[in-house]
């Protein structure tokens, strides 16, 4: 019947019709010989629990507008503009009270003006901290425009007692000023205020380091010297003044201060280290700061690990 069999001699083994879309649904085993040990995908975050300190600044932002302002003779405006361009925390501090800018600003050149930020900001931090403190009761520490750490005022013992604990003369520039005489009679809260000033001092010139032509100065030395002094103060309190140590360690705001200043100092060290001329003996001092027995004092006080970086390797503390 031609209708039932239009091809009287059909191919007994016809080729199958081609798959109109062979890639649409691949078979269950498209690779008959897969790699038995494929390379794992790279881990985009090798330590997802790590917690790192960050602070807003604008790396490499064009300082041309500030240079132009200085060329028109407005050096105060140029200073504020440069800080606004690179580091909002510094600009906010100077805008609040410009007397340190007027007293310590160097207007001879753009480089000199940028280098003078160290003294301007250092003294401005003192004004802010003591201006917001309640003498002998509470102490204030300016961190950024929207963050001030308030702690109880603690003297504890004279910081001159740290002098005999120093491992060498690498911090003598600061020891002679801060650990002797009337200054040496001051205690923990004022030691930490001085540390706060030197960390901000370091930050203020690090953020404009590319605009400073200088043979060198101690831009980092003070910050790391006071990290060492903090470690030694914690050891002295722990071993000789247990009541003071317990009072400090039990206060969350003091733990926050110690933790923040450790991380913040290391955050700005990474920026400042781009400019070798911004330190004199800071590397010698840092070897002591990062000695295991000294870092252990910070770890014991905080109750968690720290390292020589702006990060906490174990993540943020459960009870900050």
């Amino acid at each position: 019947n031609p209708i039932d069999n239009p091809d009287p001699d059909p191919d007994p083994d016809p080729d199958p019709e081609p798959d109109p879309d062979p890639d649409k649904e691949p078979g269950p085993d498209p690779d008959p010989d897969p790699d038995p040990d494929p390379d794992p995908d790279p881990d985009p975050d090798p330590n997802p629990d790590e917690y790192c300190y960050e602070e807003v600044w604008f790396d490499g932002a064009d300082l041309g507008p500030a240079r132009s302002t200085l060329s028109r003779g407005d050096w105060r405006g140029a200073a504020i503009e440069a800080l606004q361009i690179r580091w909002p925390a510094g600009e906010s501090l100077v805008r609040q009270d410009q007397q340190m800018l007027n007293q310590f600003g160097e207007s001879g050149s753009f480089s000199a003006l940028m280098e003078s930020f160290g003294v301007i900001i250092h003294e401005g931090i003192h004004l802010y901290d003591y201006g917001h403190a309640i003498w002998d009761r509470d102490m204030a520490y300016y961190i950024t425009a929207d963050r001030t750490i308030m702690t109880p005022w603690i003297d504890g013992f004279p910081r001159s007692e740290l002098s005999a604990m120093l491992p060498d003369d690498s911090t003598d520039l600061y020891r002679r000023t801060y650990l002797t005489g009337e200054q040496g009679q001051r205690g923990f809260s004022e030691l930490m205020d001085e540390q706060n000033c030197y960390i901000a001092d370091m930050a203020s010139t690090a953020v404009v380091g590319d605009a400073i032509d200088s043979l060198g100065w101690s831009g980092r030395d003070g910050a790391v010297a006071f990290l060492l002094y903090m470690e030694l103060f914690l050891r002295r309190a722990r071993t000789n003044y247990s009541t003071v140590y317990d009072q400090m360690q039990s206060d969350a705001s003091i733990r926050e201060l110690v933790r923040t200043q450790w991380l913040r100092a290391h955050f700005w060290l990474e920026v400042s280290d781009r400019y070798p001329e911004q330190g004199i003996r800071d590397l010698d001092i840092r070897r002591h700061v990062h000695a295991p027995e000294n870092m252990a004092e910070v770890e014991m006080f905080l109750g968690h690990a720290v390292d020589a970086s702006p990060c906490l390797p174990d993540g943020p503390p459960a009870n900050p």
Side-chain angles (χ1 to χ4, degrees):
N1 187 330
I3 296 175
D4 294 336
N5 186 9
D7 186 348
D9 188 19
D11 185 347
D13 187 16
D15 293 333
E17 292 184 5
D19 185 348
D21 189 2
D23 294 330
K24 186 175 182 180
E25 292 183 8
D29 189 10
D31 185 355
D33 187 20
D35 184 350
D37 187 20
D39 293 332
D41 291 334
D43 186 350
D45 186 357
N47 189 357
D49 295 327
E50 187 176 66
Y51 166 81
C52 297
Y53 177 88
E54 295 182 352
E55 190 167 322
V56 174
W57 77 290
F58 303 107
D59 191 1
D62 182 18
L63 291 171
R67 291 181 184 273
S68 296
T69 300
L70 180 63
S71 70
R72 295 193 297 270
D74 182 7
W75 67 268
R76 295 172 184 83
I80 292 174
E81 194 168 11
L83 288 169
Q84 181 182 35
I85 290 169
R86 291 286 178 90
W87 186 39
E91 184 233 351
S92 175
L93 182 73
V94 171
R95 281 194 185 276
Q96 290 182 48
D97 190 339
Q98 297 189 30
Q99 64 174 299
M100 292 298 102
L101 178 63
N102 295 333
Q103 186 172 353
F104 296 107
E106 296 287 345
S107 58
S109 68
F110 194 73
S111 173
L113 180 60
M114 298 299 99
E115 187 176 346
S116 69
F117 281 171
V119 180
I120 293 167
I121 294 294
H122 184 116
E123 299 304 331
I125 293 286
H126 276 314
L127 280 177
Y128 182 97
D129 287 1
Y130 284 107
H132 290 76
I134 300 175
W135 186 263
D136 211 29
R137 195 189 84 180
D138 298 304
M139 188 60 185
Y141 301 91
Y142 179 91
I143 306 298
T144 62
D146 56 0
R147 185 181 182 193
T148 297
I149 297 177
M150 298 292 302
T151 74
W153 187 294
I154 292 181
D155 286 320
F157 55 88
R159 64 193 187 198
S160 60
E161 294 185 21
L162 306 181
S163 188
M165 303 172 67
L166 291 171
D168 58 24
D169 64 355
S170 57
T171 70
D172 266 8
L173 178 63
Y174 307 94
R175 179 193 62 80
R176 290 192 296 265
T177 301
Y178 298 106
L179 303 185
T180 63
E182 186 276 330
Q183 283 269 4
Q185 297 307 302
R186 301 181 184 186
F188 180 76
S189 291
E190 292 181 278
L191 180 142
M192 295 300 286
D193 166 67
E194 206 66 61
Q195 181 193 76
N196 197 33
C197 292
Y198 275 110
I199 293 172
D201 174 336
M202 171 175 64
S204 70
T205 52
V207 297
V208 292
D210 56 323
I212 299 175
D213 301 319
S214 175
L215 295 177
W217 75 98
S218 56
R220 289 184 290 272
D221 296 46
V224 292
F226 273 86
L227 285 183
L228 178 60
Y229 295 166
M230 178 182 76
E231 292 171 324
L232 298 181
F233 197 101
L234 293 177
R235 175 176 298 141
R236 184 73 173 167
R238 180 177 60 83
T239 57
N240 291 73
Y241 298 92
S242 60
T243 301
V244 172
Y245 188 82
D246 291 345
Q247 179 187 4
M248 293 165 56
Q249 191 178 39
S250 64
D251 190 279
S253 66
I254 294 179
R255 295 197 309 275
E256 178 191 5
L257 177 65
V258 170
R259 178 172 53 250
T260 298
Q261 297 298 57
W262 177 270
L263 299 176
R264 188 170 183 243
H266 287 88
F267 177 88
W268 288 117
L269 278 169
E270 291 185 354
V271 181
S272 181
D273 279 344
R274 300 176 183 181
Y275 309 104
E277 67 277 5
Q278 294 195 13
I280 297 175
R281 298 202 64 184
D282 62 297
L283 294 179
D284 294 332
I285 302 169
R286 282 151 84 166
R287 278 192 284 272
H288 302 308
V289 170
H290 298 142
E293 66 273 16
N294 291 333
M295 289 180 63
E297 293 297 337
V298 180
E299 293 180 329
M300 283 188 286
F301 185 78
L302 296 178
H304 56 77
V306 298
D307 57 23
S309 81
C311 298
L312 296 177
D314 298 332
N319 297 299

